[in-house]
Amino acid sequence: MKIGSRLIDFSQGTMFMGILNVTPDSFSDGGLYANLDAALAQTQTLVEEGADIIDVGGESTRPGHQPVSGQEELERVAPVIEAIRQRFDIPISVDTYKAQVAEAGVLAGADMINDVWGFKADPEIARVAAKHGVPCCLSHNKQNKNYPNLVQDVIDDLRESVEIATGAGVSTDKIIVDPGLGFAKEYEHNLILMNNLEKLHVLGYPILLGASRKSFIGLATGNTNAAERDVATVATTVIGIMKGCQIIRVHNVAMNKEAAKLADTVLKQEDRQ
């Protein structure tokens, strides 16, 4: 998959998306990178740690978050994306579910769109992706937590997102899917999905896993401080890799990338048998 100027070869090992929240209220790092200098410093850290993509988000998506207008969101992300584009040679993703923000992000230099609503909150965003020919990550999300058959329901819902994308003209080679851990999911739902990630391969698209520091990790480990969940996040990364996830979205790239090197090595050895 080509993201920006880079050809991403998933067969060469796990790719890492580094999280850059330019928000005042994200659940683990809200306010830390809300100004441009801090955002660029964190980008430098993520690049040095080995990130393959920088994911810039201007609205918190934590449970109970306060929604912001599209105008305010784009005013947060567009200058940061533009500054990163000028200073770093790395693919940039704009984390938004609003077409207005996606358009502004791409025009500022973003190379892909990461939508936590899988193109279902604002169908116009699919047309933005198609018009600019950029890859997109479609996450599972919905308005309730009712699942007659959790894993199959997530697969079916993601298939609907893919149909929205392709119906708008997005090429199938520019689609990534994400099970949406933490979105419209109870604690047990997240654990079941983690244990069944390999079943998402039926969709035929690369899988992105975004479990970093999320509340289900805190519930499983008893760690109430989101910023201190990196060690347990590494466990989700390794599980995801062993189940075939190709992209991992994390706050702490260095720690997770080291674990991924071992997981990737084990999988390559298995392939040789």
Side-chain angles (χ1 to χ4, degrees):
M1 178 179 290
K2 191 173 184 182
I3 305 178
S5 62
R6 292 195 188 180
L7 185 64
I8 304 294
D9 184 354
F10 297 116
S11 69
Q12 295 304 303
T14 304
M15 300 290 111
F16 278 90
M17 176 181 278
I19 299 169
L20 181 64
N21 290 318
V22 290
T23 57
D25 58 345
S26 290
F27 75 98
S28 79
D29 57 5
L32 292 180
Y33 315 118
N35 72 71
L36 184 58
D37 288 343
L40 289 173
Q42 178 62 6
T43 300
Q44 180 71 46
T45 296
L46 293 170
V47 169
E48 290 174 354
E49 289 182 349
D52 300 285
I53 305 165
I54 302 296
D55 191 40
V56 182
E59 178 180 344
S60 173
T61 52
R62 63 179 173 78
H65 75 282
Q66 187 67 37
V68 299
S69 70
Q71 184 63 33
E72 182 177 354
E73 186 181 348
L74 72 85
E75 287 173 358
R76 291 176 180 178
V77 302
V80 173
I81 291 171
E82 186 174 1
I84 294 172
R85 177 82 297 132
Q86 291 172 352
R87 293 165 175 79
F88 299 94
D89 179 22
I90 189 169
I92 303 167
S93 168
V94 57
D95 180 1
T96 187
Y97 57 87
K98 302 184 184 85
Q100 175 188 14
V101 180
E103 180 91 38
V106 172
L107 292 176
D111 304 295
M112 69 176 286
I113 298 167
N114 181 18
D115 184 352
V116 299
W117 277 99
F119 285 1
K120 293 181 179 180
D122 182 354
E124 286 297 319
I125 197 171
R127 283 181 271 279
V128 172
K131 179 175 75 171
H132 293 285
V134 295
C136 53
C137 180
L138 307 174
S139 293
H140 177 266
N141 206 344
K142 64 178 195 169
Q143 297 288 352
N144 60 67
K145 299 179 182 180
N146 300 325
Y147 298 97
N149 184 335
L150 175 66
V151 177
Q152 189 58 50
D153 290 348
V154 169
I155 290 170
D156 291 343
D157 288 346
L158 283 170
R159 191 172 279 120
E160 289 177 2
S161 289
V162 169
E163 289 171 356
I164 292 170
T166 57
V170 176
S171 174
T172 55
D173 65 351
K174 294 183 181 299
I175 294 173
I176 298 163
V177 296
D178 177 345
L181 295 176
F183 296 107
K185 315 276 189 312
E186 301 287 359
Y187 169 63
E188 293 81 4
H189 293 152
N190 293 298
L191 300 182
I192 292 168
L193 280 174
M194 282 294 307
N195 205 26
N196 288 274
L197 288 169
E198 72 280 0
K199 294 180 180 176
L200 271 65
H201 290 293
V202 70
L203 292 165
Y205 298 98
I207 300 170
L208 182 146
L209 181 66
S212 186
R213 299 180 180 175
K214 289 189 173 176
S215 60
F216 80 92
I217 294 177
L219 289 171
T221 62
N223 191 334
T224 58
N225 187 336
E228 295 178 357
R229 294 174 187 158
D230 285 343
V231 172
T233 293
V234 170
T236 66
T237 293
V238 173
I239 293 168
I241 293 169
M242 301 307 287
K243 288 180 174 288
C245 295
Q246 293 98 326
I247 308 174
I248 309 292
R249 180 179 181 274
V250 292
H251 298 83
N252 185 324
V253 173
M255 185 181 291
N256 286 275
K257 190 152 188 167
E258 182 175 0
K261 287 180 180 178
L262 175 58
D264 287 341
T265 300
V266 169
L267 287 175
K268 287 177 182 177
Q269 183 64 37
E270 182 180 68
D271 290 344
R272 294 194 186 104
Q273 299 304 309

